[in-house]
């Protein structure tokens, strides 16, 4: 039993409770299975599934659809024969591919292609290996050109086969980070972490904490320069919210009465911060900014009741936070921890109460480490996504937690905390010490706690796709031989944000225009310079519905367009390919026009 | 109940009868969890039959043959979640009349119908996740670790939720 469980009860106490309640629950135990749910009545439904899972062979005898389930009654011998053919085919292709790309890499982080190959063999057979152990299939198998998968999962979309693992504790995170850093140091000796003499860890001042360019999916709101200018951020029927910059570079949000064009109030912005988004949600104005963690003084410029929270913050920081941390009780009381956070890149959402526009008040401020990636408001919930690269040496025992784990601050509760380990997911392939950090925050309910999740190993160009209740995070994983995309689905449930699914596909997503959501299906188009374009169709929680792979579209710049259930890929030479997805399990290549 | 691993292997190879045999062993448990999570027999039937098909389609991806039971329970849990998402009302309530007036759900041996109503009423006051956790733990006998896998929820969260929910339930039951 972990430490946090002890907070609530011990095992014996829990069992006693279960025993007590069990007596009452005996009344519920007597349930008769409805006749319709007996297997004899459900079995006919499976015949349809089996009909869709015919293993096809092309004219040359090569198995071209490895994904289907074996036919009922197929012998193991026959399956092994097929497996051998498939394995040999994949091996030959793999060897050719590997040598054509310049040989096999031995870098531990370069297992992508190897994983794909082995996965292909596992998936291709649809059966056990010779040793009776099923090979993991966390990735997309190499596929024949224009292969259509009829709904059977190519990838690790089954809940039992999530390609990532949840961090059991901070030790697991440290271990994963340390392995990544060791690997990176071999490849890039000038990486931003190094060990100081005596084994202690310090940050390389020349390279650490360099945020680099803001790699975001959204451009910041442009601040006018040289002459006073204003940009409309958002508006309702009575007021407009302008971003105003004067000639000296001071920037503020002006609230303008639309009836008489008078500025009724202003919200000053820090010069160092970058404003990315502004949202109006009922009586709240949400400003999403990116800057440094220590940019916490702006509340003092407003007459709001929490303007003094900067002081509160550090008082709180120096207190024993074990009371507020539900598990992984970490002594975060070291003075140095707070200084470690200062200067780290942070993304901030400030919620202003604008019920009285002439006197906006800060209702809430939420901050998470990492450069801003994206944000969206859906159904009153703000989703904030940042990319947090950590430079602390995870292999040194004295590296402080804040250097390794994303941190958040929420004015509700006035506390700064490192993320709980249980909220951190370790991706299947961690090449960088970068987290994608995702937060869901109820804008109008300033008492509802924000929930934050993070995935370690996401690249800093992660793509985000929002749907009403779902948020999809996609990041490239790559090595010298190939690239793929990891996808994670988050859902805002009653208890907060939850990771509901994950998978991995071949190829990369060029940008967010290659994603679409239509009629309950997530459309994902990926590209690989070796295998062309692929379309994957997922239900919520990233359950694969269907796919079509290795579509060839010529031209340097290919655009993807989505019109209802049709996906059109157009090259800059005019070549157009349409994929009809009226049956998502069976996407069909339609027109090819030149 | 120990499931036959050989049957799981056969099912993975596409033997639908083996899969059906496995399903039969746990069908009632699946139905119970769906019934008490969703609150009405009709949706529970839908969800269980969907789970049956989805599990058959996906069983070849099951790595650990010994974990068939929690694995299919996890599929059911996801299906329940989707079903709830489709409800117009955010919080599905258990329709007591469904339980009381549907004779097929109540065997003649049921000793005390009023106690059943009392427990259902107490369940009705829980949130969906709380309800599922309690049903899996108290009715099905899953450990908190297994529930965390089934519901894809951190172990600590399951333990604390279960503890708090049981305290809440005990209090409600004592009051009634």
């Amino acid at each position: 039993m972990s430490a946090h469980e002890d907070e609530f009860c011990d095992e014996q106490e829990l069992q006693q409770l279960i025993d007590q309640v069990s007596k009452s629950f005996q009344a519920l135990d007597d349930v008769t299975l409805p006749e319709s749910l007996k297997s004899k009545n459900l079995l006919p439904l499976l015949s349809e599934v089996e009909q869709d899972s015919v293993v096809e062979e092309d004219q040359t005898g090569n198995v071209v659809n490895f994904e289907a389930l074996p036919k009922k009654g197929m012998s193991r011998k026959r399956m092994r024969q097929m497996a051998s053919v498939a394995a040999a085919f994949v091996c030959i292709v793999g060897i050719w591919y590997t040598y054509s790309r310049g040989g096999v890499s031995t870098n531990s982080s370069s297992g992508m292609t190897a994983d794909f190959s082995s996965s292909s063999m596992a998936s291709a057979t649809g059966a056990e290996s010779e040793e009776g152990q099923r090979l993991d299939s966390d990735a997309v198998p190499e596929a024949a050109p224009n292969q259509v998968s009829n709904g059977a999962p190519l990838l690790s979309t089954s809940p039992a086969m999530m390609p990532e693992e949840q961090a059991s504790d901070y030790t697991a995170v440290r271990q994963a980070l340390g392995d990544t850093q060791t690997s990176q140091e071999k490849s890039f000796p000038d990486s931003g972490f190094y060990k100081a003499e005596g084994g202690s860890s310090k940050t390389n001042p020349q390279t650490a904490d360099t945020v680099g360019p803001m790699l975001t999916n959204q451009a910041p709101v442009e601040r006018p320069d040289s002459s006073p200018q204003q940009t409309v951020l958002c508006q309702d029927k009575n007021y407009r919210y302008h971003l105003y910059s004067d000639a000296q570079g001071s920037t503020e949000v002006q609230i303008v009465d639309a009836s008489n064009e008078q500025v009724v109030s202003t919200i000053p912005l820090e010069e160092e911060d970058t404003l990315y988004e502004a949202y109006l949600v009922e009586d709240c104005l949400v400003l999403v900014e990116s800057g440094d963690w220590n940019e916490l003084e702006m509340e003092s410029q407003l007459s709001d009741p929490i303007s003094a929270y900067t002081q509160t913050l550090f008082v709180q920081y120096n207190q024993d936070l074990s009371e507020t941390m539900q598990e992984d009780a970490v002594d975060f009381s070291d003075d140095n921890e707070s200084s470690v956070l200062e200067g780290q890149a942070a993304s901030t959402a400030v919620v202003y109460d604008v019920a009285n526009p002439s006197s906006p008040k800060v209702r809430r401020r939420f901050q998470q480490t990492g450069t801003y990636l994206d944000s969206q408001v859906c159904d009153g919930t703000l989703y904030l996504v940042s990319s947090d690269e950590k430079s602390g040496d995870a292999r040194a025992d004295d590296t402080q937690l804040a250097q390794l784990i994303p941190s958040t601050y929420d004015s509700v509760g006035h506390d700064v905390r490192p993320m709980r380990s249980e909220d951190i997911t370790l991706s299947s392939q961690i090449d960088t010490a970068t987290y994608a950090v995702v937060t869901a925050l109820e804008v109008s309910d300033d008492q509802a706690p924000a929930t934050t999740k993070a995935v370690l190993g996401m690249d800093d160009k992660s793509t985000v796709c929002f749907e009403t209740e779902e948020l999809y995070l996609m990041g490239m994983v790559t090595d010298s031989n190939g690239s793929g995309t990891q996808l994670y689905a988050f859902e805002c449930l009653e208890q907060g944000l939850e990771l509901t699914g994950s998978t991995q596909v071949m190829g990369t997503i060029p940008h967010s225009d290659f994603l679409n959501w239509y009629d309950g299906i997530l459309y994902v188009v990926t590209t690989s310079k070796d295998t062309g374009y692929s379309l994957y169709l997922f239900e919520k929680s990233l359950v694969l519905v269907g796919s079509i792979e290795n579509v060839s579209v010529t031209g340097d710049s290919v655009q993807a367009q989505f019109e209802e259930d049709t996906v059109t890929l157009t090259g800059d030479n005019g070549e157009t390919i349409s994929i009809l997805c009226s049956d998502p399990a069976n996407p069909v290549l339609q027109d090819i026009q030149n | 109940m120990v499931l036959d691993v050989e049957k799981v292997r056969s099912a993975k190879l596409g033997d639908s009868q083996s899969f059906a045999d496995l399903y039969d062993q746990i069908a009632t448990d699946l139905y119970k969890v769906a019934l008490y999570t969703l609150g009405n027999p009709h949706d529970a039937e839908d969800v269980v039959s969907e789970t049956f098909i989805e599990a058959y389609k996906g069983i070849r991806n099951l790595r650990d043959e010994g974990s068939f039971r929690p694995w299919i329970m996890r599929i059911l849990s996801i299906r329940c979640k989707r079903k709830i998402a489709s409800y117009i009302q955010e919080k599905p309530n258990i329709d007591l009349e469904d339980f009381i007036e549907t004779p097929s759900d109540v065997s003649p041996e049921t000793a005390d119908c009023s106690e059943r109503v009392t427990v259902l009423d107490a369940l009705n006051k829980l949130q969906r996740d709380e309800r599922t956790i309690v049903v899996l733990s108290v009715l099905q006998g899953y450990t908190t670790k297994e529930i965390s896998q089934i519901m894809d929820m951190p172990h600590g969260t399951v333990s604390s939720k279960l503890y708090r929910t049981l305290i809440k339930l005990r209090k409600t039951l004592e009051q009634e």
Side-chain angles (χ1 to χ4, degrees):
Chain A
M1 176 171 279
S2 62
H4 76 278
E5 286 173 71
D6 292 332
E7 182 186 336
F8 304 107
C9 63
D10 60 26
E11 207 167 79
Q12 196 177 358
E13 191 181 352
L14 188 58
Q15 192 54 52
Q16 281 174 355
L17 262 173
I18 292 170
D19 292 342
Q20 287 169 10
V21 177
S22 291
K23 288 172 190 165
S24 302
F25 270 60
Q26 283 171 2
L28 302 185
D29 205 27
D30 200 357
V31 170
T32 307
L33 187 71
E35 195 64 22
S36 64
L37 290 182
K38 292 188 173 160
S39 67
K40 64 183 179 187
N41 294 318
L42 289 175
L43 267 173
L45 298 175
L46 297 184
S47 59
E48 191 179 331
V49 176
E50 288 173 346
Q51 281 169 5
D52 288 340
S53 57
V54 176
V55 176
E56 300 169 2
E57 295 187 7
D58 68 9
Q59 290 180 342
T60 61
N62 291 328
V63 178
V64 295
N65 184 354
F66 298 131
E67 297 311 316
L69 288 163
K71 283 180 180 177
K72 185 181 176 183
M74 183 180 290
S75 70
R76 281 173 173 249
K77 185 178 176 184
R78 169 66 175 148
M79 291 183 65
R80 286 204 177 98
Q81 287 171 348
M82 290 172 57
S84 301
V85 172
F89 175 76
V90 171
C91 284
I92 290 167
V93 170
I95 291 167
W96 168 82
Y97 178 78
T98 300
Y99 278 94
S100 69
R101 298 291 304 251
V104 178
S105 168
T106 56
N107 189 319
S108 63
S109 66
S110 63
M112 197 74 183
T113 303
D115 284 345
F116 282 170
S117 299
S118 60
S119 304
S120 302
M121 291 165 70
S123 297
T125 61
E128 297 166 327
S129 66
E130 284 300 312
E131 293 75 28
Q133 296 294 316
R134 188 170 182 82
L135 298 168
D136 291 349
S137 55
D138 287 347
V140 190
E142 301 282 358
N146 295 346
Q147 173 180 324
V148 178
S149 303
N150 297 324
L154 288 167
L155 322 166
S156 51
T157 51
S158 159
M161 300 183 65
M162 302 255 278
E164 84 295 339
E165 60 175 307
Q166 201 167 44
S168 54
D169 51 29
Y170 287 127
T171 308
V173 181
R174 271 183 182 264
Q175 181 67 46
L177 278 169
D179 291 347
T180 303
Q181 292 171 346
T182 301
S183 173
Q184 280 193 359
E185 278 185 348
K186 287 177 183 171
S187 305
F188 306 103
D190 291 333
S191 59
F193 27 79
Y194 72 107
K195 281 194 173 185
E197 290 181 8
S200 64
S201 170
K202 290 184 179 176
T203 306
N204 184 340
Q206 292 184 334
T207 53
D209 289 334
T210 51
V211 174
M214 296 283 193
L215 295 165
T216 73
N217 297 321
Q218 295 182 351
V221 179
E222 286 189 14
R223 296 186 179 209
D225 50 18
S226 69
S227 59
Q229 290 186 32
Q230 56 189 25
T231 307
V232 176
L233 295 170
C234 49
Q235 59 188 349
D236 58 24
K237 59 184 178 182
N238 296 320
Y239 295 93
R240 288 198 305 272
Y241 299 80
H242 291 173
L243 178 67
Y244 175 84
S245 181
D246 63 20
Q248 285 71 45
S250 297
T251 312
E252 61 190 17
V253 173
Q254 295 181 337
I255 304 179
V256 178
D257 188 333
S259 63
N260 56 18
E261 296 298 321
Q262 294 296 308
V263 176
V264 297
S265 63
T266 61
I267 300 172
L269 300 178
E270 286 295 309
E271 194 174 335
E272 293 78 10
D273 285 346
T274 305
L275 179 67
Y276 276 90
E277 284 292 348
Y279 302 101
L280 264 179
V281 182
E282 298 175 359
D283 288 334
C284 296
L285 171 69
V286 186
L287 298 182
V288 178
E289 302 164 291
S290 194
D292 285 350
W293 180 270
N294 62 353
E295 296 298 329
L296 299 173
E297 293 81 16
M298 60 185 295
E299 275 77 10
S300 62
Q301 299 169 23
L302 292 166
S303 54
D304 71 273
I306 60 165
S307 60
Y309 88 93
T310 303
Q311 289 77 14
T312 311
L313 168 68
F314 287 101
V315 170
Q316 179 71 34
Y317 214 89
N318 291 326
Q319 288 175 346
D320 181 2
L321 290 187
S322 59
E323 288 179 10
T324 55
M325 295 183 59
Q326 292 182 14
E327 68 165 331
D328 294 318
V330 175
D331 182 6
F332 215 39
S333 58
D334 187 341
D335 287 346
N336 291 330
E337 289 281 7
S338 56
S339 61
V340 165
L341 276 175
E342 284 184 79
Q344 283 197 20
S347 299
T348 307
V350 187
V351 182
Y352 296 89
D353 184 341
V354 290
N356 178 6
S358 61
S359 178
K361 307 266 191 242
V362 174
R363 281 178 64 162
R364 187 173 193 172
R365 180 189 179 102
F366 181 86
Q367 191 162 42
Q368 64 190 43
T369 48
T371 55
Y372 175 80
L373 270 183
D374 215 335
S375 66
Q376 186 72 269
V377 170
C378 298
D379 282 349
T381 300
L382 170 73
Y383 296 95
L384 178 63
V385 187
S386 65
S387 176
D388 190 7
E389 183 173 7
K390 294 299 185 188
S391 57
D393 187 346
R395 298 154 296 184
D397 292 338
D398 58 351
T399 301
Q400 294 159 36
L401 197 60
Q403 289 179 285
L404 305 174
I405 308 288
S407 297
T408 60
Y409 166 78
D410 194 346
S411 60
V412 175
H414 291 244
D415 64 338
V416 176
R417 62 173 65 182
M419 286 188 62
R420 300 181 305 174
S421 64
E422 69 176 31
D423 291 329
I424 297 173
T425 299
L426 308 178
S427 73
S428 59
Q429 184 181 332
I430 302 175
D431 294 332
T432 64
T434 304
Y435 297 84
V437 185
V438 184
T439 293
L441 184 151
E442 291 293 326
V443 174
S444 301
D445 184 355
D446 50 11
Q447 294 307 311
T451 53
T452 303
K453 302 285 178 184
V455 180
L456 174 59
M458 297 295 279
D459 73 311
D460 57 7
K461 293 182 279 295
S462 299
T463 307
V464 187
C465 178
F466 297 96
E467 191 41 40
T468 310
E469 293 179 338
E470 303 266 315
L471 182 155
Y472 296 97
L473 197 60
M474 301 161 211
M476 186 172 72
V477 286
T478 188
D479 63 16
S480 58
N481 292 320
S483 57
T485 300
Q486 293 178 333
L487 298 93
Y488 295 87
F490 296 88
E491 190 174 357
C492 201
L493 303 170
E494 286 172 4
Q495 70 273 21
L497 200 62
E498 290 285 344
L499 177 67
T500 55
S502 66
T503 189
Q504 189 165 300
V505 297
M506 287 275 287
T508 57
I509 302 167
H511 50 79
S512 55
D513 288 350
F514 283 66
L515 303 168
N516 193 43
W517 178 275
Y518 175 73
D519 198 20
I521 300 290
L522 176 69
Y523 291 66
V524 178
V525 176
T526 65
T527 179
S528 161
K529 65 178 180 180
D530 296 310
T531 56
Y533 288 82
S534 299
L535 169 68
Y536 299 97
L537 306 170
F538 296 97
E539 282 183 0
K540 281 174 75 174
S541 305
L542 293 174
V543 176
L544 184 71
V545 181
S547 66
I548 182 164
E549 296 184 299
N550 303 340
V551 177
S552 175
V553 184
T554 57
D556 290 334
S557 177
V558 173
Q559 301 294 319
Q561 288 182 309
F562 299 90
E563 189 172 343
E564 296 186 339
D565 56 13
T566 301
V567 183
T568 305
L569 301 173
T570 308
D572 59 358
N573 59 358
E575 183 182 1
T576 299
I577 289 178
S578 295
I579 304 170
L580 185 63
C581 306
S582 52
D583 176 5
N586 296 289
V588 178
L589 270 180
Q590 229 181 8
D591 311 318
I592 299 180
Q593 300 168 355
N594 287 309
Chain B
M1 183 193 303
V2 179
L3 295 173
D4 186 345
V5 173
E6 272 308 314
K7 278 204 187 295
V8 179
R9 288 198 183 118
S10 300
K12 283 176 68 175
L13 294 174
D15 183 350
S16 56
Q17 189 53 54
S18 294
F19 178 79
D21 292 344
L22 288 168
Y23 166 80
D24 279 337
Q25 291 181 61
I26 58 168
T28 306
D29 289 345
L30 291 171
Y31 179 63
K32 267 189 228 170
V33 172
L35 184 65
Y36 293 124
T37 299
L38 297 174
N40 73 79
H42 318 293
D43 285 342
E45 281 185 49
D46 286 349
V47 163
V48 172
S49 57
E50 287 167 11
T51 299
F52 176 83
I53 294 169
E54 192 172 323
Y56 180 70
K57 284 162 75 175
I59 192 169
R60 68 199 186 94
N61 290 329
L62 175 65
R63 281 184 290 192
D64 177 9
E65 283 123 8
S67 65
F68 174 80
R69 192 182 154 97
W71 173 77
I72 196 169
M73 212 44 104
R74 166 117 174 84
I75 294 173
L76 180 84
S77 167
I78 292 171
R79 285 280 162 190
C80 285
K81 200 186 286 183
R82 284 187 198 166
K83 178 63 79 179
I84 285 167
S86 71
Y87 290 165
I88 297 172
Q89 290 181 335
E90 190 175 302
K91 182 182 173 187
N93 291 322
I94 291 177
D95 188 343
L96 295 179
E97 291 191 355
D98 271 339
F99 290 89
I100 297 166
E101 294 181 356
T102 307
S104 64
D105 288 325
V106 185
S107 75
E109 291 79 23
T110 300
D112 187 352
C113 195
S114 66
E115 185 175 1
R116 186 181 166 90
V117 172
T118 303
V119 179
L120 287 173
D121 197 31
L123 270 180
N124 199 27
K125 290 174 180 160
L126 302 178
Q127 292 186 347
R128 180 189 62 84
D129 276 347
E130 294 175 337
R131 212 184 286 165
T132 309
I133 289 172
V134 165
V135 170
L136 287 171
S137 170
V138 180
L139 267 182
Q140 300 296 313
Y142 284 98
T143 65
T144 49
K145 186 122 188 160
E146 288 168 328
I147 296 170
S148 74
Q149 288 166 354
I150 290 168
M151 298 187 69
D152 192 25
M153 202 180 261
H155 185 204
T157 306
V158 171
S159 296
S160 57
K161 268 184 184 262
L162 178 60
Y163 179 74
R164 291 189 189 120
T165 308
L166 288 174
I167 295 280
K168 205 187 319 183
L169 258 179
R170 188 175 63 180
K171 198 174 171 184
T172 310
L173 290 170
E174 282 170 359
Q175 284 172 349
E176 294 177 3

